[in-house]
Amino acid sequence: MSDNHKSRVVTTGVERAPNRALLRATGFSDKDFAKPIVGVANSHSTITPCNMGIGPLAARAEAALAAAGAMPQVFGTITISDGISMGTEGMKYSLVSREVIADSIELAVEGHCLDAVLVLCGCDKTIPAAAMALARMDIPGLALYGGSIAHGVLGARHLTVQDVFEAVGAHGAGTLDDAGLRAVETHACPGAGACGGQFTANTMAMVLTALGLSLPGANDVPATDPAKRAIAQRCGEQLMQLLAHGPLPRAVLTPAAFRNAARMVAATAGSTNAVLHLLAIAHEAGVAFTLEDFETASRSTPVIADLKPAGRYTAVELSAAGGTMTVARMLHQAGMLEDTPTVSGRSLFTEIAAAPPPEGQDVVRPVSAPLKPRGGFTILYGNLAPEGCILKLAGAGRTQFEGPARVFENESEAFAAVQAGAIRAGDVVVIRNEGPAGGPGMREMLAVTAALVGRGLGGSVALITDGRFSGATHGVMVGHIAPEAARGGPIALLRDGDVLRIDGATRRIDALVDLETRRGGWTPRPPTVTRGVLAKYARMVGSAARGAITETE
């Protein structure tokens, strides 16, 4: 065993006899104390399909590590299902869980002086949390995404959970009856795996590969594919190579890797949550990365992947079309990627060259024949968002909107108004007090945005919020408005009827009133929670414009 392995502080020396005694109780023998102690952190859970297939992957990786001469130690972390908690108070806990998951991995690894770690992740927050923990600890490590769910099938339709949310809106509008809604509900989600479109989970799984923290191709394999367990084994074997030869996570997480990741998100019209998460990962890696870097990526990168929510295909079909490497190849051929190291031990460009090009696929187009001329989002500023916000372009069909504000103090009020038919074409729905501190927890607005689409208002109503959006959201949507209402942001000063203007061309979002004249009459709302994890988070969390991190900035 190398003298550089940190686990030696636990396993060697007379004074560590008590430590070894406890390890012996777990199955260590004398010879095992000379082996590296390697963690297999995983988010296995039976409460969500995103993570319920991860247990067998952890077992396969554990066996591979043991066969390669390590003492693998398996431990779990939590998960919050965005889809299950969506539209409820439970959604306030989702973004908070990103910090808790990253912290828990750090606690278990550093608290036991482990030498390396494989992180198995499955749903929206477990994926960025894995990257944050690896960047923070900077020990040998890599991450594996548990994989996407298969699409549901209803007649000739391929369904995802997005269709269920939109069916709720159609049902409320009277265009879908009870039987039709039940049919969509019961067919949309057939088994294990994370939501199937280019929503947050699949976007972030692609980001892990672009950042170099996952083996190329590994994250693309769907959750129920029998090949997934062999991939977990390969990850265990590769972790031993990283332990011996590197590179460490921060050597992989270069500024170029973050630029590549932002381009991949733009090219696939991926989830705007990727902006929030990449900013947080960059913070952990010590890499300077800002909102403007996303604007640069999106402005100069066309949408080339025909993926839901705005496109036709799911992640399973992208996998069959060559997956992430197909997207990367198209961008590389156009000179839009930079070569970077990866945890495979080979550079990104070497991995792209080695990946077999698929034949006859139409999921990903060449850059010369894109679906849209620019990426799926743009960064706006103005008197409503001095620190910035994100306009989601995927599927919107328009980048300019002007109309009267319909102001709601939380998501639930707005959803009730939509379902009651109180929102009209031309309105700008404003949902405030849903930011990181104000929510607390920065809930996603999918229930509202999907209900608008289901009522046929997806292109004729705009929505702005200091909260965030699901990757399944599409329409004229502006999120992450900063500063948020709870911190005195201008969105807190809006009133019903104020005319708001959204202009993607000039990158502006403004209220056509003098908001500052109202400043003196504004007082902060009392905290909605005063105890527990949400109260702690509300006190600690920073601006969404910097990733909603909880460390001192």
Side-chain angles (χ1 to χ4, degrees):
M1 180 175 177
S2 169
D3 287 338
N4 293 327
H5 290 166
K6 67 167 65 177
S7 61
R8 287 183 62 83
V9 304
V10 174
T11 59
T12 61
V14 172
E15 68 278 11
R16 295 296 177 238
N19 311 63
R20 290 192 298 273
L22 288 168
L23 288 172
R24 289 180 192 278
T26 72
F28 275 67
S29 65
D30 285 345
K31 67 179 185 301
D32 294 328
F33 292 120
K35 299 176 181 178
I37 305 177
V38 176
V40 180
N42 71 95
S43 58
H44 175 78
S45 171
T46 59
I47 201 169
T48 166
C50 311
N51 298 275
M52 70 184 193
I54 288 179
L57 302 182
R60 190 69 172 266
E62 179 185 19
L65 287 162
M71 283 300 288
Q73 305 299 306
V74 180
F75 62 91
T77 185
I78 65 160
T79 180
I80 305 292
S81 168
D82 285 30
I84 295 172
S85 65
M86 192 74 69
T88 74
E89 291 294 296
M91 188 61 182
K92 293 181 177 181
Y93 291 84
S94 173
L95 185 59
V96 180
S97 76
R98 185 191 71 180
E99 314 306 304
V100 173
I101 295 162
D103 290 351
S104 70
I105 295 170
E106 177 193 4
L107 288 167
V109 170
E110 299 291 1
H112 295 103
C113 301
L114 304 185
D115 296 304
V117 64
L118 167 64
V119 186
L120 302 174
C121 45
C123 62
D124 292 7
K125 305 308 171 296
T126 63
I127 305 170
M132 290 166 67
L134 290 170
R136 185 186 301 172
M137 297 183 297
D138 200 34
I139 65 170
L142 71 159
L144 172 64
Y145 169 53
S148 177
I149 194 172
H151 53 250
V153 178
L154 181 60
R157 294 177 64 192
H158 286 180
L159 303 177
T160 70
V161 72
Q162 169 194 346
D163 296 284
V164 189
F165 280 100
E166 293 178 4
V168 171
H171 183 270
T175 58
L176 185 69
D177 62 16
D178 290 349
L181 176 59
R182 177 172 173 77
V184 175
E185 174 190 337
T186 55
H187 287 81
C189 301
C195 299
Q198 191 67 343
F199 310 152
T200 303
N202 287 314
T203 299
M204 291 309 299
M206 185 175 284
V207 162
L208 285 182
T209 302
L211 289 176
L213 291 176
S214 290
L215 295 179
N219 292 344
D220 298 316
V221 177
T224 56
D225 191 316
K228 198 72 180 189
R229 297 188 187 187
I231 288 171
Q233 175 178 327
R234 184 156 63 93
C235 287
E237 294 165 349
Q238 184 59 26
L239 183 56
M240 294 300 287
Q241 292 298 311
L242 292 170
L243 185 61
H245 307 295
L248 296 179
R250 288 189 193 170
V252 168
L253 293 170
T254 63
F258 282 93
R259 290 191 291 269
N260 286 344
R263 279 198 185 275
M264 297 282 276
V265 174
T268 58
S271 170
T272 51
N273 283 318
V275 176
L276 201 70
H277 298 324
L278 273 166
L279 290 171
I281 298 165
H283 171 79
E284 298 289 358
V287 172
F289 209 65
T290 70
L291 280 176
E292 280 303 292
D293 291 301
F294 292 97
E295 176 63 27
T296 299
S298 187
R299 186 174 61 247
S300 59
T301 309
V303 176
I304 59 173
D306 194 1
L307 298 171
K308 289 178 179 287
R312 295 178 293 167
Y313 297 114
T314 66
V316 171
E317 291 152 315
L318 175 61
S319 177
T324 299
M325 286 295 103
T326 298
V327 178
R329 178 180 292 106
M330 297 299 189
L331 294 177
H332 175 42
Q333 289 173 350
M336 291 185 169
L337 293 182
E338 302 170 68
D339 204 11
T340 54
T342 77
V343 292
S344 73
R346 303 195 297 182
S347 76
L348 176 63
F349 286 2
T350 301
E351 291 288 357
I352 291 171
E359 297 181 3
Q361 66 86 22
D362 66 345
V363 181
V364 184
R365 298 186 181 186
V367 169
S368 59
L371 290 156
K372 292 187 176 181
R374 61 159 293 157
F377 52 85
T378 189
I379 307 301
L380 308 181
Y381 302 89
N383 70 1
L384 276 178
E387 292 180 4
C389 61
I390 304 171
L391 169 62
K392 187 160 189 172
L393 301 177
R398 59 192 295 186
T399 62
Q400 296 175 312
F401 199 101
E402 184 174 315
R406 295 293 310 281
V407 180
F408 300 95
E409 300 300 334
N410 55 57
E411 179 195 17
S412 302
E413 289 183 8
F415 181 74
V418 173
Q419 289 297 81
I423 303 301
R424 301 284 184 264
D427 287 344
V428 181
V429 176
V430 178
I431 305 177
R432 62 191 179 196
N433 299 305
E434 291 285 7
M442 204 177 182
R443 286 194 290 184
E444 291 182 349
M445 304 291 118
L446 180 58
V448 178
T449 61
L452 289 168
V453 172
R455 284 181 166 269
L457 296 171
S460 59
V461 168
L463 186 149
I464 73 171
T465 180
D466 52 8
R468 58 194 178 90
F469 297 125
S470 164
T473 291
H474 56 111
V476 187
M477 306 293 164
V478 180
H480 304 208
I481 287 180
E484 61 175 289
R487 298 273 170 84
I491 191 174
L493 307 175
L494 290 177
R495 297 173 183 168
D496 274 344
D498 288 345
V499 176
L500 310 184
R501 178 181 294 157
I502 301 164
D503 192 333
T506 62
R507 299 178 55 204
R508 296 283 306 183
I509 179 168
D510 294 289
L512 305 187
V513 296
D514 184 359
L515 293 176
E516 290 309 308
T517 61
R518 302 175 184 174
R519 176 69 63 185
W522 177 81
T523 57
R525 287 160 52 101
T528 56
V529 292
T530 57
R531 300 181 61 191
V533 65
L534 290 182
K536 288 189 286 188
Y537 181 82
R539 289 192 296 269
M540 297 170 62
V541 70
S543 172
R546 292 182 291 279
I549 59 173
T550 54
E551 292 186 19
T552 302
E553 298 179 63

